[in-house]
């Protein structure tokens, strides 16, 4: 499949709060990558159905029973469609049939379900299998990764944060499935008046993939606002699932922190991190099960 590869769009200086379509060199351009149409509809359906199956299976039995009852008496317009349906959001059931949490323990995410997964059970699904292999070709390096699923409710949102620097390494990849949302990136470094020095917005349509790494991963906060960031107006969203893939942190970190997961060190493990500790911002957010 043809894969378009673009850098950041709409970089803006928030000091003036005016958006600009020109790109200024606020960060090394290669540290944010955006693939707006990486997965086709068939692949999106395969990924979204697999993600929803995982998330659904982890919910309390009472939620699963409610969904089963709903599906048994479903009206035609709420019926999840088969693979190939042009509207990928049709894979979602109404919001009230999911057990969305109201707020993350540190207040960063609102109205969501999440889980960490170690396998996809993709052996019987060639579309899913090939989509996941294609995704791996985008990984910035061959280090070990960890995968999380995050399901945002229609009114869910993510406040500005930097992912826990103690829980994952120098790159984060996000696959978006379902309703289109805006990813807002804002530099940790402020102007004198406390406004982020640089911001840019990226449109996360279904099937898109973004990667933030190195300077952007450590020096930019990211958020998915409920309010449309470009118009400042409330827009209605449907649900969205993201598949978040993070590179695992290096061995020496595990050893020093007693987390385990040991492997034999390579020369690379012993080299100093590329980002100096001075540049690493406060830990603002991390997943519960990686804390
Ligand atoms: O859903 C996304 O694209 C971002 C999710 C996120 O920021 C997180 O899980 O830490
Ligand atoms: Fe995050």
């Amino acid at each position: 499949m043809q894969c378009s590869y673009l850098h950041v769009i709409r970089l803006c200086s928030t000091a003036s709060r005016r958006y600009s379509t020109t790109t200024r060199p606020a960060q090394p351009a290669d540290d944010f990558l955006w693939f707006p149409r990486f997965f086709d509809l068939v692949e999106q359906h395969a990924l979204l159905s697999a993600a929803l199956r995982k998330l659904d299976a982890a919910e309390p039995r009472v939620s699963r029973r409610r969904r089963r009852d709903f599906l048994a008496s479903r009206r035609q317009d709420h019926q999840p469609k088969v693979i190939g349906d042009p509207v990928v959001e049709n894979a979602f059931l109404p919001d009230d049939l999911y057990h969305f949490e109201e707020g993350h323990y540190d207040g960063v995410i609102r109205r969501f379900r999440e889980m960490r997964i170690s396998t996809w059970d993709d052996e019987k699904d060639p579309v899913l299998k090939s989509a996941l292999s294609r995704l791996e070709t985008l990984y910035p390096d061959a280090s070990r990764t960890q995968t999380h699923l995050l399901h945002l409710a229609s009114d869910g949102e993510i406040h500005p944060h930097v992912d826990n620097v103690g829980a994952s390494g120098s790159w984060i990849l996000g696959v978006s499935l379902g309703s289109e949302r805006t990813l807002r990136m804002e530099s940790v470094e402020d102007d004198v008046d406390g406004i982020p020095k640089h911001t840019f917005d990226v449109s996360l349509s279904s099937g898109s993939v973004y990667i933030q790494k190195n300077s952007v991963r450590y020096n930019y906060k990211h958020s998915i606002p409920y309010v449309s960031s470009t118009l400042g107006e409330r827009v209605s969203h449907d649900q969205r699932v993201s598949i978040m893939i993070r590179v695992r942190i290096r061995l020496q970190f595990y050893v020093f922190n007693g987390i385990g997961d040991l492997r034999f060190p390579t020369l690379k493990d012993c080299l100093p991190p590329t980002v100096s500790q001075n540049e690493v911002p406060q830990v603002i957010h991390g997943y519960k099960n990686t804390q």
Side-chain angles (χ1 to χ4, degrees):
M1 180 198 302
Q2 184 84 27
C3 165
S4 55
Y5 163 82
L6 300 177
H7 289 130
V8 169
I9 47 160
R10 276 211 308 256
L11 189 66
C12 74
S13 158
T14 43
S16 66
R17 288 282 176 207
R18 295 268 318 271
Y19 287 88
S20 154
T21 48
T22 55
T23 301
R24 293 199 333 229
Q27 76 283 314
D30 285 348
D31 284 354
F32 191 93
L33 306 176
W34 179 52
F35 305 83
R37 282 173 291 277
F38 190 73
F39 290 118
D40 66 23
L41 269 177
V42 175
E43 291 171 315
Q44 290 171 44
H45 271 281
L47 287 162
L48 183 53
S49 317
L52 288 174
R53 268 198 308 275
K54 289 262 181 206
L55 286 157
D56 289 354
E59 277 204 343
R61 200 183 305 171
V62 60
S63 307
R64 283 184 276 151
R65 187 169 329 119
R66 282 178 59 218
R67 278 195 294 273
R68 247 196 339 265
D69 292 349
F70 173 84
L71 288 170
S73 63
R74 66 193 164 198
R75 299 192 309 269
Q76 200 60 28
D77 56 344
H78 277 140
Q79 190 172 347
K81 304 295 192 301
V82 291
I83 284 182
D85 188 298
V87 183
V88 81
E89 284 95 326
N90 283 343
F92 296 115
L93 296 177
D95 280 58
D96 59 2
L97 289 177
Y98 297 114
H99 189 75
F100 290 119
E101 292 184 39
E102 282 309 314
H104 207 278
Y105 75 105
D106 57 6
V108 167
I109 310 186
R110 266 198 60 254
R111 305 269 299 144
F112 67 101
R113 311 190 283 170
E114 70 172 338
M115 74 182 294
R116 185 172 179 168
I117 62 166
S118 49
T119 57
W120 275 100
D121 313 320
D122 56 353
E123 288 314 315
K124 292 200 191 86
D125 186 342
V127 176
L128 179 61
K129 202 174 162 121
S130 90
L132 292 169
S133 320
R134 279 200 329 105
L135 188 61
E136 275 186 37
T137 64
L138 298 184
Y139 292 6
D141 59 50
S143 307
R144 291 181 59 208
T145 57
Q146 55 198 23
T147 303
H148 278 93
L149 304 177
L150 177 66
H151 182 176
L152 276 187
S154 304
D155 58 352
E157 62 186 336
I158 304 179
H159 299 300
H161 67 284
V162 174
D163 283 13
N164 189 344
V165 296
S168 70
S170 63
W171 59 264
I172 299 160
L173 176 154
V175 177
S176 299
L177 300 164
S179 184
E180 178 164 346
R181 300 292 291 262
T182 299
L183 177 73
R184 164 150 277 219
M185 305 292 298
E186 52 190 69
S187 57
V188 169
E189 188 193 355
D190 289 343
D191 274 335
V192 273
D193 50 3
I195 294 172
K197 216 167 188 165
H198 303 286
T199 70
F200 59 89
D201 288 353
V202 181
S203 197
L204 301 180
S205 53
S206 191
S208 67
V209 178
Y210 68 88
I211 301 174
Q212 41 169 319
K213 56 182 182 168
N214 302 326
S215 65
V216 174
R217 185 264 188 264
Y218 293 110
N219 298 332
Y220 276 72
K221 295 180 194 174
H222 53 280
S223 57
I224 298 198
Y226 180 61
V227 175
S228 158
S229 54
T230 44
L231 300 174
E233 285 171 2
R234 293 215 157 220
V235 290
S236 71
H237 306 291
D238 207 333
Q239 298 161 42
R240 168 182 180 267
V241 162
S242 52
I243 302 170
M244 301 304 301
I245 297 175
R246 298 181 174 86
V247 65
R248 284 175 186 262
I249 210 144
R250 289 192 178 166
L251 171 70
Q252 73 267 34
F253 199 91
Y254 282 116
V255 172
F256 293 153
N257 288 279
I259 296 172
D261 200 43
L262 298 179
R263 64 184 161 76
F264 197 75
T266 62
L267 176 62
K268 211 166 136 210
D269 289 320
C270 304
L271 296 174
T274 47
V275 176
S276 93
Q277 288 307 307
N278 296 339
E279 290 173 316
V280 175
Q282 293 283 305
V283 173
I284 296 167
H285 156 65
Y287 281 100
K288 277 178 283 196
N289 52 5
T290 51
Q291 282 292 296

